[in-house]
Amino acid sequence: MKTRESGMPSEDLWRTFFDPDLILKRLGLKGDHQCVVDLGCGFGTFAAPAAALVDGFVYAFDIDVQMVEATQKAATTAGLKNLIVTRRDFVEQGSGLPDGSADFVMLFNILHAAEAGLLLQEAQRVLTRHGILAVIHWNHDPSTPRGPSMEIRLRPGECLRTVASAGFVTDRLLDLPPFHYGFAARKP
Ligand SMILES: C[S@@+](CC[C@H](N)C(=O)[O-])C[C@H]1O[C@@H](n2cnc3c(N)ncnc32)[C@H](O)[C@@H]1O
């Protein structure tokens, strides 16, 4: 089941909201990471640059066939052989990756989902000890050009507490201008 308010605008517009390389580096993605997971990859906005950066593999999942195709196209265009894109419902099926197999998991623009707890559990399960969970979300500001309704949009403090209560050790909050905040969290 598609999570609430997880639809996308045009790819051209979405791309203008981020500097993916900078965000990934600030959240701790490193060249020697071997297994990176993107739950709800959308257009591959972050999965493709992550695959270009790491030595290992990036596993990107989305329920929406158009998003899967867009991410696959981004991989092909950039000649990325290490980006594995799968159509999958992570609410119903998780990622299917083995326990303790991932160094870095991305939950980007998705934690307003009613199933946020399930997503965090799946991140806990697949991460290695000391693996990084990276989170970004829309600022709690009604003037952002996109983003979930204010009633379900997590304030930064609330987001940090939600991730901490799922068993992660959260790092400091980062401002990711123009429209986002984010943080890294570690599996203890
Ligand atoms: C708001 S978009 C964010 C995309 C990407 N993380 C980014 O920040 O560029 C959320 C994505 O999650 C996907 N999604 C929603 N529910 C899902 C589910 N149950 N299983 C897999 N993907 C899902 C949507 O199709 C959409 O592409």
Side-chain angles (χ1 to χ4, degrees):
M1 187 198 55
K2 198 162 182 167
T3 58
R4 64 186 179 186
E5 298 193 32
S6 62
M8 295 289 264
S10 75
E11 186 169 2
D12 284 347
L13 177 63
W14 190 253
R15 196 181 297 129
T16 65
F17 299 146
F18 316 96
D19 181 341
D21 286 318
L22 184 64
I23 288 176
L24 290 168
K25 282 182 188 152
R26 288 191 71 194
L27 292 171
L29 186 68
K30 295 270 182 339
D32 63 358
H33 280 148
Q34 294 304 312
C35 176
V36 174
V37 181
D38 189 1
L39 294 175
C41 60
F43 299 112
T45 310
F46 295 91
L53 186 79
V54 300
D55 295 338
F57 285 84
V58 175
Y59 297 90
F61 300 93
D62 207 288
I63 196 170
D64 184 325
V65 71
Q66 285 179 307
M67 296 299 134
V68 170
E69 284 171 6
T71 303
Q72 189 55 63
K73 188 170 164 216
T76 308
T77 305
L80 297 165
K81 304 247 184 301
N82 61 338
L83 174 48
I84 315 297
V85 194
T86 306
R87 184 173 183 218
R88 195 170 172 101
D89 180 341
F90 54 55
V91 172
E92 295 290 328
Q93 304 172 286
S95 65
L97 295 170
D99 293 358
S101 57
D103 313 296
F104 192 92
V105 173
M106 296 183 239
L107 288 176
F108 285 6
N109 299 303
I110 195 80
L111 277 183
H112 57 286
E115 302 82 0
L118 272 180
L119 289 173
L120 290 165
Q121 262 177 36
E122 181 62 2
Q124 267 285 347
R125 187 187 70 74
V126 299
L127 276 168
T128 57
R129 203 163 155 242
H130 306 316
I132 297 174
L133 167 65
V135 172
I136 73 166
H137 208 52
W138 289 93
N139 288 340
H140 199 267
D141 170 358
S143 72
T144 58
R146 289 283 300 189
S149 314
M150 295 310 292
E151 304 79 59
I152 61 165
R153 203 184 289 203
L154 296 172
R155 288 186 162 76
E158 206 179 346
C159 196
L160 280 164
R161 280 194 297 281
T162 302
V163 170
S165 58
F168 290 94
V169 178
T170 57
D171 220 337
R172 74 192 166 86
L173 193 66
L174 302 174
D175 186 23
L176 305 172
F179 304 121
H180 286 75
Y181 67 85
F183 55 89
R186 284 191 184 266
K187 177 169 165 172

